[in-house]
Amino acid sequence: MKIAMIDGSPKYTISNSSRLLGKLEPMIRDNNEIVHYHLATKPFTEEQYLELCGMDVLVFSFPLYVDSIPSHLLRMLLKLEDFMKTNRQKPVTVYAIVNNGFYEGKQNHIAIRILENWCLKCGITFGQGIGTGAGEMLDFISNIPLGHGPLKNLGTAFQGLTDSMKTLTSGKPVYLSPNFPRFAWRFSAINFVWNANARKNGLKKKDILKQL
Amino acid sequence: MRLLVHDLTPQEFEALGLELSPETTVISDDGTIKPCIGCFGCWVKTPGVCVLNDKYQNMGQLLSKCSEYIIISKCCYGSYSPFVKNIFDRSISYFLPYFNNIDGETHHKKRYDNRFSLSVLFYGNDVTEAEKETAKDLVAANSTNYSRIKYNVSFYDNTLSLKEGLQ
């Protein structure tokens, strides 16, 4: 099978979306041709849109922005719909991994439904979506093997996703939180992500709270 | 202040014949908006202001002065159009990186205390029932994020029929 791994993060550097694709790829590499796409670098060319129409599988990995799909990815989907309607020669099945910065993965459900609606408009099949919470944690636990510790739930979800992909079947969406206590996640996110990043920029907590 | 965000062309907007009060601020698409780059600079570098230097970088501040928020958007797969979604993505400086718990779900705290009503007018001649349901759920989720503000959602077959909803 030809599988497109589409990193839908707008970040030029390594992102949580790319980390998730990195965890998934070894599970689907055998006997498959994998092509990587990254939407942040520059808009897709006509040639890239045509390539996507010739894939068996599209795997989108992207961050949740304000309850749904980031605008730059939405623009790309609108263009790809036109290409799919006029240039697609064979069935295409779409899988999605959506990550958010909250604890609960279920908040990704609207983004996944938008992608399902997009598939219907394109005339292609939606396979399955996974919505994972606590995306910002991935930076700190990227060395932990999938299926272990905080990544236990993600490992189980990815196993189901790859089983569906290998047989090109559809499955119910899976929403997950990390195998990690909510209070500890919240404490870490506030202190080790947000306050720590502000401190790097010379800001204190009162600066973060500033009203204009 | 009344904030009106729309994705209509100048001709389509003019055809609506709206009589706008001086308290209305209109945000439209002139093709220059930059997409959010996920840097969170509006939280940890220049709190309250987006670091991308274009005329849409103060959306959070505008929302803080808003009492009525009206959105006109093409319905794309149950989402807003890319321009309107871009406005949402560029408005997160209205929030703080810190968290609230609403109905067992994590949400971001607001930077400001003001409350506004939200009216979303979706248009499009091929919007499916599934897309309408998704769009309704999206606006409901947005309103929860804005601390459970009052909202309404309506759908129109074309841009001219938006007049009905704006009267």
Side-chain angles (χ1 to χ4, degrees):
Chain A
M1 286 196 296
K2 283 188 81 170
I3 302 175
M5 304 278 261
I6 304 166
D7 180 348
S9 169
K11 292 182 180 172
Y12 291 98
T13 52
I14 190 160
S15 65
N16 298 320
S17 303
S18 59
R19 286 187 183 98
L20 288 163
L21 286 179
K23 297 272 184 203
L24 181 73
E25 184 168 336
M27 302 173 76
I28 54 169
R29 198 179 284 143
D30 288 351
N31 303 318
N32 293 315
E33 181 187 345
I34 294 175
V35 189
H36 300 92
Y37 297 86
H38 190 186
L39 203 49
T41 46
K42 49 187 169 181
F44 286 173
T45 60
E46 186 174 336
E47 189 184 13
Q48 286 176 307
Y49 280 112
L50 290 170
E51 282 171 15
L52 290 172
C53 294
M55 296 287 167
D56 299 295
V57 170
L58 306 181
V59 184
F60 287 94
S61 179
F62 61 90
L64 186 77
Y65 274 16
V66 198
D67 302 306
S68 57
I69 295 182
S71 69
H72 69 287
L73 178 56
L74 202 52
R75 280 187 204 280
M76 175 273 199
L77 292 175
L78 279 159
K79 269 197 170 178
L80 186 53
E81 181 195 340
D82 292 339
F83 278 89
M84 284 286 179
K85 282 176 172 170
T86 51
N87 296 287
R88 187 175 58 85
Q89 303 288 330
K90 59 180 184 179
V92 174
T93 309
V94 171
Y95 297 88
I97 308 160
V98 191
N99 74 89
N100 69 40
F102 300 131
Y103 184 76
E104 307 83 18
K106 66 182 175 186
Q107 296 203 42
N108 297 306
H109 75 104
I110 295 170
I112 288 174
R113 281 167 55 198
I114 291 169
L115 208 53
E116 281 187 72
N117 294 336
W118 173 76
C119 287
L120 283 170
K121 279 269 156 77
C122 293
I124 60 179
T125 305
F126 186 78
Q128 191 178 22
I130 287 182
T132 177
E136 303 305 325
M137 257 183 81
L138 288 167
D139 186 20
F140 298 91
I141 56 174
S142 54
N143 292 331
I144 296 176
L146 196 63
H148 295 267
L151 296 178
K152 184 180 172 190
N153 301 340
L154 188 67
T156 306
F158 271 16
Q159 192 55 59
L161 183 72
T162 51
D163 289 346
S164 297
M165 285 173 68
K166 284 171 185 169
T167 50
L168 291 178
T169 47
S170 297
K172 286 184 178 174
V174 176
Y175 302 111
L176 62 110
S177 299
N179 185 36
F180 195 73
R182 178 198 281 263
F183 76 91
W185 162 81
R186 186 183 169 113
F187 179 85
S188 306
I190 291 170
N191 293 289
F192 303 141
V193 178
W194 302 119
N195 289 348
N197 284 337
R199 269 198 304 276
K200 283 180 198 164
N201 293 315
L203 302 181
K204 294 178 179 169
K205 188 173 175 184
K206 69 175 173 54
D207 300 315
I208 297 177
L209 299 170
K210 188 170 151 186
Q211 294 187 342
L212 303 172
Chain B
M1 186 259 286
R2 190 187 207 203
L3 182 61
L4 171 57
V5 170
H6 72 85
D7 60 5
L8 303 174
T9 63
Q11 295 77 14
E12 287 169 334
F13 189 68
E14 200 179 319
L16 294 177
L18 300 179
E19 290 178 20
L20 299 173
S21 66
E23 295 84 41
T24 304
T25 299
V26 179
I27 304 286
S28 59
D29 185 6
D30 67 359
T32 64
I33 192 167
K34 295 174 182 171
C36 173
I37 55 171
C39 69
F40 298 110
C42 59
W43 287 348
V44 297
K45 197 171 183 181
T46 56
V49 181
C50 176
V51 300
L52 298 176
N53 187 15
D54 64 12
K55 69 180 195 183
Y56 304 95
Q57 71 180 151
N58 290 310
M59 284 307 305
Q61 198 178 355
L62 267 181
L63 281 175
S64 77
K65 296 171 179 19
C66 174
S67 56
E68 189 181 359
Y69 191 8
I70 301 168
I71 292 168
I72 299 174
S73 175
K74 185 173 183 188
C75 189
C76 300
Y77 321 121
S79 167
Y80 304 105
S81 66
F83 171 73
V84 172
K85 185 60 189 17
N86 210 338
I87 290 290
F88 270 87
D89 294 350
R90 294 285 300 281
S91 298
I92 64 164
S93 59
Y94 183 74
F95 298 96
L96 293 167
Y98 305 125
F99 305 110
N100 260 341
N101 192 314
I102 303 177
D103 298 335
E105 281 187 359
T106 314
H107 293 273
H108 285 293
K109 286 184 176 173
K110 287 170 29 176
R111 183 181 301 279
Y112 302 99
D113 299 325
N114 70 312
R115 292 182 71 81
F116 51 82
S117 62
L118 173 65
S119 299
V120 182
L121 293 84
F122 283 110
Y123 68 88
N125 61 4
D126 61 347
V127 183
T128 65
E129 286 306 312
E131 288 171 336
K132 284 183 182 176
E133 289 309 307
T134 306
K136 285 180 196 170
D137 288 348
L138 173 59
V139 180
N142 295 153
S143 76
T144 302
N145 277 330
Y146 287 120
S147 293
R148 290 190 179 130
I149 55 170
K150 283 185 181 173
Y151 71 93
N152 61 69
V153 189
S154 46
F155 296 89
Y156 302 87
D157 290 338
N158 54 59
T159 57
L160 269 180
S161 60
L162 288 164
K163 274 183 188 175
E164 301 160 25
L166 291 164
Q167 279 162 358

